Amino acid sequence: MTNKKLQFRKDGSFKILQLTDIHGIYRKTPDTTKLIDAVLDKEKPDLVVFTGDQIKGYCPSYLTGDKIKKVEQAIDNYTESVNSRGIPFLVTFGNHDPQVGISNADQMKMYRQFDCCLCAEDGYEYDAGTYSIPIMSRDGSTQAFNIYMIDSGGNAKGGGYDAVQPEKVAWYRSVRDKLYEKWGHYIPSFVFQHIPVHEIYNLYDRVDKNHPDAIRAFRTHKGEFYKLKDEFTNGNTKLHEPSSIPDINTGEFEAVREKGDVLAMFFGHDHMNNFVGTYDGVDLGYSPSCGFNEYGNGVERGIRVFELHEDDIRHYDTHVVTYHQLFGEKVLNPLRKTFYDHIPTSFEAAVPLIVKGVLGLVALVALIVFLIIYF
């Protein structure tokens, strides 16, 4: 059982793991469990944050039987690794969690059945997936750090994704200011949420579609191609798919950069992306998906690690531990992995493939008709 309070260790360190895009169903996904267990044992974190799409809400398996029991089982499948080790955890939601037909508020009740769930236990709360949690100093006398978990919303009517509502942005400002009043200074903070902010595109260079690293964007950047700026690219830490942002910008980033309290915002949602860059004094970064039950970047699926230092609180270290680093290329379910490695990343990405397929079929039919008529 957790002590219900987050606190820096005696040596002034504090470690966080970000798990995102598990896409769980009521049956365990062995490779996902294998990755989570191994990273927990390797890193021994003080806190785990789940940043959305824990539930594969659109999975047909949820359409039959007892839906509530199936969702409870799915939640138990991936939190068991954390709970069995007594590690505190926080949860926010993605666009797919509510698609299962159970509200985020009711899903949060399922999480709160576990002693290790600290969701809004000791902070300020706006809604089930939006709250702040303090991390106290090693001696417990003051708040050293703050975690904002933000429910960034679901799928928007008419397509695309919801934006973080202005009321939620105002809530963040109010909590930030309350913490200032309480402690006499702005508290260094992280923001964790599922869907990235518009400003993520400031980390990219627009390039010609023939550039070797060009990634096609959609909706608000339809017809444009981008690559991650060179200063943020290192090995596999690059842009692998377009950032799927809301169609409108409600000023969330502008709010978090105002007072310099938010050091970084980290996202999930775009499963294959894995990088960190800095824009206007705030780090913006992705954790890759850790779930093998949806599309992803092969064995580069992973979990992001953050190391905080109370004696140098505004500077942190981060890296990603991947399945490949731990286990190489061999997976427990290669057929599942192969399938999900080759499906389109989104409906928009699927459209050109569908068009090509239809045109190819038309061409094939035309060829057959030609051969029948003239030969």
Side-chain angles (χ1 to χ4, degrees):
M1 179 180 294
T2 180
N3 63 7
K4 295 291 186 181
K5 178 182 286 189
L6 299 177
Q7 190 169 338
F8 278 81
R9 299 177 187 178
K10 292 181 179 180
D11 65 359
S13 65
F14 192 92
K15 186 177 288 188
I16 303 170
L17 296 189
Q18 180 189 2
L19 280 66
T20 194
D21 295 276
I22 294 172
H23 285 260
I25 58 175
Y26 69 96
R27 298 189 190 93
K28 278 191 175 182
T29 306
D31 287 302
T32 302
T33 301
K34 183 179 179 180
L35 173 61
I36 293 173
D37 284 342
V39 178
L40 289 173
D41 289 339
K42 179 179 186 293
E43 297 294 338
K44 296 178 173 56
D46 302 289
L47 175 67
V48 169
V49 295
F50 293 97
T51 56
D53 285 2
Q54 287 81 237
I55 297 295
K56 188 172 181 174
Y58 51 91
C59 184
S61 65
Y62 287 118
L63 297 177
T64 60
D66 190 326
K67 182 184 298 184
I68 292 176
K69 286 186 177 179
K70 285 187 174 182
V71 172
E72 288 177 334
Q73 183 60 57
I75 290 173
D76 186 66
N77 287 344
Y78 52 79
T79 58
E80 178 185 9
S81 299
V82 179
N83 289 310
S84 65
R85 292 166 173 79
I87 303 169
F89 70 86
L90 306 175
V91 176
T92 192
F93 299 100
N95 53 301
H96 291 306
D97 296 289
Q99 288 179 335
V100 75
I102 298 174
S103 70
N104 290 348
D106 285 339
Q107 288 186 46
M108 184 60 81
K109 292 176 183 177
M110 298 177 185
Y111 288 104
R112 284 177 171 159
Q113 294 176 7
F114 300 105
D115 289 335
C116 290
C117 179
L118 295 191
C119 305
E121 283 285 343
D122 191 23
Y124 300 91
E125 183 178 15
Y126 178 84
D127 58 29
T130 305
Y131 50 91
S132 75
I133 294 290
I135 304 176
M136 304 304 290
S137 60
R138 72 189 89 179
D139 64 6
S141 64
T142 187
Q143 182 174 344
F145 206 80
N146 196 63
I147 302 292
Y148 292 99
M149 302 293 286
I150 305 290
D151 183 350
S152 54
N155 296 334
K157 293 180 180 179
Y161 302 102
D162 288 334
V164 173
Q165 306 100 314
E167 295 83 3
K168 199 170 288 188
V169 176
W171 168 86
Y172 153 73
R173 285 190 170 106
S174 71
V175 174
R176 175 195 68 196
D177 294 343
K178 287 176 183 176
L179 293 176
Y180 179 89
E181 293 170 4
K182 182 175 182 178
W183 300 107
H185 60 90
Y186 290 109
I187 304 296
S189 306
F190 280 163
V191 171
F192 289 105
Q193 66 187 54
H194 188 67
I195 297 173
V197 292
H198 274 237
E199 286 74 11
I200 195 81
Y201 272 84
N202 288 285
L203 304 183
Y204 310 152
D205 286 325
R206 188 172 175 183
V207 296
D208 183 81
K209 66 179 180 180
N210 296 316
H211 190 284
D213 294 325
I215 298 294
R216 178 196 289 270
F218 302 100
R219 297 192 69 83
T220 54
H221 293 277
K222 183 178 179 180
E224 300 171 357
F225 293 80
Y226 293 89
K227 63 176 285 292
L228 185 65
K229 290 180 181 293
D230 290 340
E231 60 262 40
F232 307 133
T233 302
N234 180 17
N236 192 50
T237 59
K238 63 180 183 179
L239 184 68
H240 290 279
E241 63 173 298
S243 290
S244 300
I245 58 175
D247 288 352
I248 61 173
N249 188 340
T250 54
E252 182 188 10
F253 179 84
E254 180 61 28
V256 303
R257 62 159 290 280
E258 286 174 341
K259 304 297 182 181
D261 57 313
V262 174
L263 308 183
M265 304 179 76
F266 279 89
F267 317 104
H269 191 49
D270 301 310
H271 302 186
M272 298 170 66
N273 288 337
N274 169 21
F275 59 83
V276 184
T278 304
Y279 173 67
D280 210 3
V282 180
D283 291 345
L284 302 175
Y286 276 104
S287 177
S289 65
C290 65
F292 282 79
N293 205 37
E294 244 304 342
Y295 84 88
N297 194 16
V299 289
E300 297 304 325
R301 289 172 171 87
I303 294 172
R304 183 168 288 281
V305 182
F306 303 87
E307 297 182 67
L308 302 175
H309 315 282
E310 185 181 351
D311 296 329
D312 190 11
I313 198 66
R314 299 193 67 83
H315 298 92
Y316 66 95
D317 300 309
T318 186
H319 65 279
V320 169
V321 180
T322 67
Y323 189 98
H324 183 263
Q325 290 169 353
L326 296 170
F327 306 113
E329 298 285 343
K330 189 175 182 179
V331 297
L332 299 175
N333 194 328
L335 184 62
R336 180 191 297 271
K337 173 187 169 295
T338 300
F339 173 77
Y340 282 119
D341 283 353
H342 291 88
I343 65 173
T345 60
S346 66
F347 174 77
E348 287 86 354
V351 169
L353 299 178
I354 295 171
V355 171
K356 286 182 180 179
V358 171
L359 291 177
L361 181 60
V362 170
L364 177 61
V365 171
L367 176 61
I368 293 172
V369 171
F370 176 82
L371 293 175
I372 292 173
I373 294 174
Y374 291 100
F375 291 90

